[in-house]
Structures are given as C-alpha cells and as structure tokens.
Amino acid sequence: MAQWTQMKQLIPYLATQILNELYSPSFPMDVRCYLANWIEEQRWEDFEPEKVDQEPQALTLLDQIISCLQNLAGQNPNVVERMRLQRISRNMNMFRSQPFQLVLTVRDVLRKERELLSQASTQFPGLARFSQPPAQDSMAAAPPTRDVDLLVLKVLEIQDCRQQIHQLQEELNWERQNYESMQGTLQQTQTNGMDPSMSEVTKLQTNIKQHEYNGQVIAKKRVQLLQEAVSSLEKCQSRLINRIKAWRWEQHQATIGHPFDDNLSPLQTWCEQLLGVNGKLRQEVMLAGEPIPELQERLGRLLQTLIQSSLMVDKQPPQVIKTQSKFSTTVRYLLGEKVAPGKPVLFKAQIITEAQARNLGQLGSLPSENVGELINNTAILEHNTSGKSTCATFRNMSIKKIKRADRKGSESVTEEKFALFFTTEISITGCDIPYKIQMISVPVVVIVHGSQDNNALATIIWDCAFSEPERIPFLVPERVPWKQMCRTLNSKFMSEVGTQRCLDNYNQHFLAQKIFDKPDIAGDYSNMLVSWAQFNKEVLPGRPFTFWQWFDGVIELTKKHLKSYWSDGLIFGFIGKQHLHLILKDRPNGTFLLRFSDSEIGGITIAYVAPSENGGQKIQNIQPSTKRDLEIRSLGDRIQDIDFITHVYPDLPKNDVFRKYYTDNPLPRDTTSGYLVVSIQTKVGVEAHCDSPQHSETPQDNNSSFYAILLYVLIRNNQFQTPFQLAPVPLQGGMYPDPLSNPNGLFPGPDICVTDLLHTISHNVKVELCF
C-alpha cells in the first residue's frame, strides 16, 4: 500500500487530464483506493499479452476483485458508498469475456504511477514534505538515540583516559621518588668505596621514561577524543535545533489543517541529554591540564544556543485578537528541570509590529517603541512535576489599545500583522552566568470589531499556507500557484468541518473557475497564479463578497449543519451551472444533487431535473437554504418535503440515503388541550392555501420571515398567557403594523393567510386557531 500512500499525496498536483488517462472508467480510482493493499500484493508484472495460458489466473484475479468490492459494500455503513461499491462491482463484470485485459490495465496503471512518482521530486518539489508516512514524522520528533548514545560513550572514554593519566601520574611520582631515593643511596656507597649495582637504577629510569611516554600518548588521545566529541555534539545539536524549528513550523501550519503532533516531551529529553553531555565535556576540558581555548569557546557557544533555543510557545495566542477581549498563551522551557533554584523566573510579554520583529536581531535588542498596551503581560515559570513540564502561562491577557503603522495604498487594518514577544533572564545549574532568552509567537492580526474577523482570518490563512520556513518576519508571496492554493483550501475545509472526505476534482475545478472567473470547464488551472487580491481583496465578479468570504461561509454552513451529509457523500459540493447541466442533462426527471450556492455566502441549493413546458427537460435550482433556514428546518426534512425530487445523482433513491436524516413523524391532534399541532413544511412553486397567489413557502419576503420568526419567539417565550387570535391587519400607509403594539392581531400582510403563517412555525408549537 506504500505506493498508493505516495500517490494520494501526488494526486493534488496532477492535471485532470493525467488523472483521467491514468484511472479510466474501466478501472476507476475508487477501485485503486479501496483495494490498494490487495492490488499491491499481487504479481501483475508476471502477465504478458502473448501468454494466453495465463487467462485462468486473470479470471481468478477478476473474481477476487469483484468479491472484495462486494464484501466492502456489505460492511460499509455509508449508504452512498455502499451503493457506489455495488455499482462498481457490477461494472467489473464487463471483463468476464476479457479478463486478460483487466490484469494488463492494472499492471499499466501501477507502472504509470511509479513513473509519476519517480518524476515527483523534480516536477513537484513540495511533495517530499507531504509524502512522509506518519511513523517517520513521529520518529523525527524523538531524540536520535544512537547519536546520543555514541556521545555518551565518547564522554566515558574521555573520562577513562583522564583516569588512566591520573593513575600513570601516580605511578610516575612513585617511580621518581624511588629513583631519587636510590640516587642518594648510590652516592653514599660510592663515597664508602663500595661498587654499586647499576641495574636497578637503569630499570627505574626506563620505567620513568615509559610512564612519561604513555602519559603523553594517552593525553594526546584524550585531546583528540575531546575534539571528536565536541564535533559530534555540534552535529547532534544542529539536528536538534532543526527539529525544534520543524516543530514550530508544523505548529504554524496546523492553522490550515496540517497534521501536528504537539508533544514536546521527546524534544525536552533530547535537550536535557545534550545539556548533560555539554556539561561533562566542559568539565573534561577544564581538567585537561593545559587550557584548550578553542574547545572551551565552541562548548560555550553550543551551551548558549541550546539554552536560548529551548524556549517554545507551547500554546499560541489566538491569531485573530479583538481588543478588550481576554485570551491566554503559554510558553514552555524545555530545560526547566535544570533551572537554578532561587529567584523565580518572570516572563514578560509585549506586542510588536512586523518591522520590529524583523529588527530583533541579536538577543537583548528589545523593541524600543511600545506599540500596544497589554494587560496581564507577566507570568512566572512554574514546574509541573506530574507532567514533567516547566511553563509560564499568561492568563486573562488582553490588548487594551494598539498603535497602527502607516498603511500603504489600499492596505486595510486586517492585513497588518503583529506578534507577541516573550523575554526573560534565566540561570541554569552548572552555568556561571545568567542567559537572556526570547521568543516570538506566530503572527496575529488585531481587530477592534467582530465584523473584521473574516478578513483578518484570510490574512492568517495566507500567511500560514504560503510562508517559507526561516523567512524574514512576516514575508509572504503576493502570488502563489493554484495547486498550492487548492491544497490549502482542501486542508482547511477538512480540518474545520472535521471530515475525512476531501474536495474532489470537480469541486477543485469549480473553485478555480470561481477565483479566476474562467467559465471554461475543460481548462487546467494547476500552474496559474492566484494573487492575494483575488483571494480576499477584490470582490468576485457580480458579487458583493470576496472569494475567501464566500468559501469561509460554506465552511461555516457545513461545519454547523451539513457535516454528516458531506461526510456521507450526499452533497456534491462546488459545481458550476455549466457543468451541472452537463451531468444532469441525460438524467430522468426527479434526479437532483446538492450544491453550494455560488451567488450568496453560506447557502446550499437543490438542483434537479424537471419537465419543461415543451415536453423536454430543464434544470431547476431551488432557492438556497442558509444557516438560518437550516436552524428552522433541517436539510433532510426539507428534502423529504419535496415529493418531485426522487433520486440523488447519479441514481440513488433519496429515501434510501436520506432516511436517517428525516425527523418528522405524523403528529396526531392533541385532544387533551384542544390545540392543533403544527409544523413547518417546505413547498416549492405550488399554490398555497386560502387561495393565496402561487409562492414558495421557503421564506423569500423579509417581512414574512420576520413575522413568522417573531411569532415563534413570542410563543416560545410565553408572551401570550392565553390562547390568542390571528386575524388580518390592514396595511397602515403601505407599511406593516408594529407587531408589538398589537400582539393579539398579528398578520404579515393581505397576501399571506393564517395557515401559511402557521406553516412557518417550527418545533411543534401549539396554538389555538380562532377564525
């Protein structure tokens, strides 16, 4: 399944034409996806066209594919997917007469996939970052045990050399003492005229020279080991710093839905291990006898870098912050257990501009100008014994006021980026001097009103998606390729909605048509450049909103009201009317699909095939349902209400796939109270009751919607203590009367009757009808 895992990452980069050629209707992508593991286990390369004797084996593989698809269909709780799998398994029977054609098709598909993957590193440079399997990502976060173990062994070897040198020195001192003693004895015997024996003196001299030589060899080896250990420490710490930067980058990318493991414990262990190795090496350098300034300097730099790089923003502040609103953020120090006891460590936070972030440079160069007033901007570093973490949490922080920079051209306040800047001074056990440490948060946008939230979020999305690691704060490109934008939109949609179903090629193609204002449904937009202005500065042609405002509205609608429908594959999603007519034109009357409205923010509409006046067919679109509409009556119940839509595209009976979303049951008359039980019902283009003109009961008139909802609210809040009467109220000078001034005579106008009004009241409200 490894090949398919990589292909899934590559597919968003591929043009639609390539995908259509790769996965044909005879072997669709669905089969490749559902049977990925099984397919890659078979020996497709053994089949050759000239080997006709292999046809029985090919037929066996065909039977297995059909059997696997049928088993998957039987086990799948998703009705739509189950019926699609059954249809695909039926279609696979077309290979019964030519099973050899199937195996050759699969073989060629796998070959083409491998060819595309081999080209990926050059054609699609961004693929490498996404093709890493999750297991490798998690391993990257863990300390490289082998590297650290080798470092520890080197330190032990250095310590052993030091002990050997110490032992040799002791023996050398003893031999020298014996030699000096023997020299005195020798002089005395010569004075007394005795013939001294020189053998023992010579032996002592030899031993002394040997000890001196051995000491020099071991000392030289020890220095060499120290140099090797420091070099190894530099490499290991460089990998640690890169991993810390990668963790910060992944945290930044998580805003747009990229997977992110926020566990800092492996990095903390790694930091603590390297700090311990550094301390032991500094001790060995000091005990070397002769000073080694080069190694002392290198170890000092490593120590300073490690201490200053171990500060992390564990919990980032919200990236859109409203002034006068409370928020919190947490910084974590990975060497917290090594902090010297004594005076508490106090962190301070301040808000800085993009220009100040660029000018931070050297540690200690704090921003001179205060651009904002932060409330509750200090926190004490505290150790959590159970969690083995050391953090400073800024609770109830608030931006009281903010000073804006001069804006260029048409820049708005929601495009201006700030950051929180954290600083403190810290002392580490075993270190002689305190160190100043600092860290900035991810970019934030400061707003003063909730209406600015959507545009501010667009700034953050663009920053998170298209910034580069190690950038100058907070530079982003003005234009990006559509394939990058498309990947971002898909990731954001899936993470916000909380679904595993992605935007398919049809959805992505329409989004490209939308943002580029290109009606051509056959175009390839992969390498076209999207500008920031197209994303969220210029309004869409003929619309009062930007592309991001429209797309974000769909996300909000889907997240709050349509998540299950989308995840079950019941919503087609983003599709243009030209493409809509193309796929529905040959479908029977009553076939419908659900698509997101392209004319208003946060709307979903039903497009269906209806008979035309001349006996043909036409495609009709029902007025979009918004979040407000779906709060009154769910999408499933609205679909149940409309009798003339019968099959979900392509040919699924609606009651089979939507039944679990139906909530209405027949409601009997409440004979105990004398009230009639009523509920809302959706009607489209039919004559209403009471001989009123033809209209849709989906509220289209603002006044009608206002009165219906007002009546519902009044009843639910027991504003009417007794049964009330609904009676016509004449227009007063062409205006509707004030409903609160006449609560016992509510009526929305002369062309709407009482029964129609009651049909707009939800939640089984009980009212007494008095005519």
Side-chain angles (χ1 to χ4, degrees):
M1 194 172 174
Q3 183 170 316
W4 177 245
T5 301
Q6 293 181 344
M7 277 303 300
K8 286 193 297 183
Q9 307 300 323
L10 177 60
I11 283 173
Y13 293 84
L14 299 177
T16 303
Q17 182 179 355
I18 295 177
L19 291 174
N20 290 338
E21 293 173 355
L22 181 60
Y23 305 109
S24 62
S26 60
F27 185 72
M29 190 187 296
D30 304 70
V31 178
R32 180 67 178 96
C33 177
Y34 283 113
L35 303 183
N37 193 40
W38 181 86
I39 286 173
E40 293 179 25
E41 290 175 351
Q42 309 309 311
R43 301 173 62 89
W44 305 101
E45 292 295 334
D46 292 348
F47 290 89
E48 296 296 339
E50 60 273 10
K51 296 181 180 179
V52 293
D53 59 318
Q54 293 179 322
E55 186 163 321
Q57 301 173 34
L59 187 59
T60 300
L61 288 173
L62 172 61
D63 290 335
Q64 291 177 353
I65 288 176
I66 295 174
S67 176
C68 288
L69 290 171
Q70 290 175 344
N71 289 338
L72 285 171
Q75 299 168 6
N76 199 318
N78 186 315
V79 177
V80 177
E81 291 186 9
R82 181 164 67 244
M83 299 186 74
R84 183 164 64 241
L85 286 167
Q86 290 172 349
R87 185 174 65 253
I88 293 172
S89 66
R90 289 194 300 269
N91 293 341
M92 296 300 290
N93 282 303
M94 63 181 285
F95 288 107
R96 287 284 179 194
S97 58
Q98 295 179 312
F100 217 79
Q101 185 62 39
L102 170 67
V103 296
L104 294 180
T105 299
V106 179
R107 184 200 65 180
D108 293 343
V109 166
L110 294 174
R111 286 178 177 178
K112 182 62 176 176
E113 286 181 353
R114 288 192 289 270
E115 181 182 341
L116 290 170
L117 288 169
S118 67
Q119 300 168 357
S121 59
T122 56
Q123 294 185 8
F124 311 105
L127 177 66
R129 189 174 67 187
F130 298 102
S131 60
Q132 294 280 343
Q136 292 185 17
D137 287 341
S138 61
M139 287 297 294
T145 307
R146 184 172 179 275
D147 289 351
V148 175
D149 287 347
L150 289 175
L151 266 175
V152 171
L153 288 175
K154 280 185 181 295
V155 171
L156 290 175
E157 191 174 359
I158 292 167
Q159 291 174 336
D160 183 60
C161 286
R162 175 169 53 81
Q163 291 172 357
Q164 289 182 41
I165 291 172
H166 181 72
Q167 184 176 352
L168 281 172
Q169 189 62 48
E170 288 182 342
E171 293 177 1
L172 184 60
N173 292 340
W174 177 255
E175 296 287 352
R176 283 174 175 168
Q177 183 178 347
N178 287 341
Y179 177 76
E180 291 173 358
S181 176
M182 190 169 287
Q183 283 283 82
T185 304
L186 182 61
Q187 291 175 359
Q188 186 176 1
T189 56
Q190 289 176 343
T191 304
N192 296 332
M194 299 176 63
D195 185 19
S197 175
M198 299 297 295
S199 61
E200 288 192 18
V201 174
T202 304
K203 182 178 179 181
L204 283 173
Q205 288 177 330
T206 302
N207 287 344
I208 290 172
K209 289 180 180 179
Q210 186 65 47
H211 286 329
E212 288 176 343
Y213 175 78
N214 290 343
Q216 292 172 356
V217 170
I218 296 175
K220 186 176 180 180
K221 177 184 177 182
R222 183 168 179 267
V223 172
Q224 183 179 351
L225 286 173
L226 278 169
Q227 291 174 335
E228 291 176 358
V230 172
S231 297
S232 297
L233 179 60
E234 286 172 335
K235 293 177 182 178
C236 191
Q237 184 165 308
S238 177
R239 286 192 288 273
L240 167 63
I241 301 302
N242 287 337
R243 182 57 206 145
I244 287 175
K245 291 177 180 177
W247 188 93
R248 291 172 180 154
W249 174 249
E250 291 164 10
Q251 184 190 47
H252 186 44
Q253 294 281 289
T255 302
I256 54 174
H258 285 194
F260 170 56
D261 181 4
D262 62 354
N263 182 18
L264 281 170
S265 296
L267 287 177
Q268 177 172 312
T269 300
W270 197 350
C271 287
E272 291 171 346
Q273 288 174 336
L274 294 193
L275 180 67
V277 170
N278 189 296
K280 289 177 180 178
L281 287 176
R282 284 186 290 116
Q283 184 181 36
E284 292 301 322
V285 169
M286 286 189 295
L287 295 173
E290 295 182 3
I292 313 177
E294 179 207 352
L295 294 185
Q296 290 175 332
E297 184 179 344
R298 287 166 65 186
L299 286 169
R301 285 198 304 267
L302 286 172
L303 178 63
Q304 180 176 353
T305 301
L306 181 62
I307 290 173
Q308 293 171 341
S309 299
S310 297
L311 180 60
M312 313 289 282
V313 184
D314 189 11
K315 179 188 174 186
Q316 293 283 352
Q319 289 193 258
V320 177
I321 303 175
K322 184 175 176 291
T323 55
Q324 310 294 337
S325 298
K326 293 180 181 179
F327 64 93
S328 65
T329 183
T330 300
V331 294
R332 177 171 172 175
Y333 193 55
L334 301 182
L335 294 175
E337 293 190 357
K338 309 300 180 181
V339 174
K343 183 180 179 182
V345 177
L346 182 68
F347 273 91
K348 181 180 179 181
Q350 68 180 101
I351 192 163
I352 60 174
T353 65
E354 182 172 341
Q356 288 175 324
R358 292 179 190 176
N359 295 330
L360 283 177
Q362 299 296 323
L363 288 167
S365 58
L366 300 179
S368 57
E369 183 183 6
N370 193 354
V371 298
E373 184 178 347
L374 275 178
I375 307 299
N376 298 322
N377 67 330
T378 59
I380 293 177
L381 190 66
E382 299 176 314
H383 183 67
N384 183 343
T385 306
S386 60
K388 295 184 178 180
S389 61
T390 306
C391 301
T393 300
F394 297 81
R395 300 177 179 86
N396 300 318
M397 190 183 284
S398 175
I399 300 177
K400 185 176 181 180
K401 61 182 180 180
I402 192 73
K403 181 180 178 181
R404 304 282 183 183
D406 295 333
R407 292 187 292 278
K408 301 176 182 178
S410 60
E411 275 187 347
S412 73
V413 295
T414 57
E415 296 177 65
E416 186 177 3
K417 288 177 275 192
F418 297 87
L420 294 187
F421 180 57
F422 305 96
T423 57
T424 194
E425 189 172 82
I426 201 162
S427 296
I428 300 296
T429 302
C431 299
D432 299 330
I433 59 173
Y435 291 87
K436 292 182 179 179
I437 58 175
Q438 63 185 36
M439 180 53 56
I440 63 171
S441 71
V442 295
V444 301
V445 175
V446 180
I447 62 175
V448 296
H449 194 276
S451 61
Q452 299 172 316
D453 184 81
N454 186 273
N455 291 327
L457 182 58
T459 299
I460 295 302
I461 296 297
W462 189 277
D463 183 271
C464 291
F466 309 125
S467 58
E468 294 292 335
E470 303 296 316
R471 63 171 172 174
I472 299 173
F474 298 111
L475 290 182
V476 288
E478 183 63 28
R479 296 175 181 273
V480 295
W482 167 249
K483 58 190 176 186
Q484 276 187 264
M485 169 64 74
C486 191
R487 189 167 62 243
T488 297
L489 296 175
N490 181 58
S491 179
K492 184 65 175 175
F493 183 91
M494 292 178 66
S495 65
E496 284 293 318
V497 174
T499 180
Q500 295 301 311
R501 183 189 168 202
C502 64
L503 302 176
D504 62 21
N505 291 333
Y506 296 113
N507 295 155
Q508 295 175 9
H509 191 81
F510 174 68
L511 291 174
Q513 290 179 286
K514 186 83 171 173
I515 202 168
F516 291 120
D517 191 26
K518 302 282 187 181
D520 182 12
I521 63 173
D524 180 8
Y525 304 103
S526 306
N527 295 313
M528 287 185 65
L529 296 179
V530 182
S531 69
W532 161 249
Q534 288 172 306
F535 181 65
N536 192 55
K537 206 167 183 67
E538 300 168 352
V539 296
L540 294 169
R543 307 295 185 212
F545 44 77
T546 66
F547 175 86
W548 167 252
Q549 290 167 350
W550 169 75
F551 185 79
D552 187 49
V554 171
I555 290 179
E556 285 299 306
L557 178 74
T558 308
K559 178 169 63 175
K560 293 181 179 178
H561 296 284
L562 305 175
K563 176 181 176 179
S564 297
Y565 299 92
W566 173 266
S567 298
D568 286 348
L570 300 178
I571 297 175
F572 195 98
F574 299 100
I575 182 173
K577 291 182 179 178
Q578 185 181 0
H579 189 200
L580 178 68
H581 281 71
L582 188 65
I583 67 174
L584 290 182
K585 65 179 182 180
D586 297 325
R587 296 293 167 179
N589 292 342
T591 302
F592 73 98
L593 59 78
L594 296 166
R595 68 180 187 88
F596 297 124
S597 171
D598 66 342
S599 61
E600 63 177 277
I601 295 178
I604 187 166
T605 187
I606 301 171
Y608 66 97
V609 182
S612 63
E613 294 75 7
N614 58 9
Q617 289 182 322
K618 59 182 178 181
I619 309 300
Q620 296 278 63
N621 288 274
I622 297 176
Q623 180 184 353
S625 297
T626 63
K627 179 176 69 172
R628 175 183 175 186
D629 298 322
L630 297 181
E631 285 171 350
I632 296 173
R633 186 160 180 80
S634 72
L635 179 63
D637 288 335
R638 288 171 181 268
I639 290 172
Q640 183 186 24
D641 292 339
I642 306 173
D643 294 332
F644 52 80
I645 56 173
T646 57
H647 287 75
V648 185
Y649 175 84
D651 57 2
L652 306 176
K654 81 168 184 183
N655 288 332
D656 289 350
V657 296
F658 278 98
R659 179 171 285 111
K660 72 175 184 177
Y661 295 105
Y662 297 161
T663 60
D664 284 356
N665 295 311
L667 299 172
R669 178 186 177 95
D670 188 343
T671 56
T672 59
S673 64
Y675 291 113
L676 292 177
V677 180
V678 298
S679 65
I680 290 178
Q681 189 176 33
T682 306
K683 294 197 179 296
V684 180
V686 298
E687 289 191 3
H689 303 284
C690 298
D691 299 323
S692 62
Q694 182 175 340
H695 72 288
S696 167
E697 287 194 11
T698 301
Q700 298 185 29
D701 183 280
N702 290 335
N703 294 296
S704 301
S705 298
F706 168 71
Y707 277 99
I709 295 172
L710 174 62
L711 179 58
Y712 164 67
V713 171
L714 291 173
I715 295 170
R716 293 291 288 178
N717 288 280
N718 295 319
Q719 294 297 316
F720 299 101
Q721 301 301 325
T722 60
F724 62 93
Q725 180 178 5
L726 291 170
V729 177
L731 296 178
Q732 300 173 357
M735 302 293 291
Y736 289 107
D738 180 1
L740 297 179
S741 66
N742 188 11
N744 290 320
L746 292 174
F747 197 74
D751 62 338
I752 304 294
C753 68
V754 172
T755 308
D756 294 323
L757 180 58
L758 292 179
H759 273 289
T760 63
I761 305 172
S762 63
H763 301 288
N764 302 329
V765 178
K766 298 179 180 180
V767 300
E768 180 176 349
L769 300 178
C770 301
F771 294 96

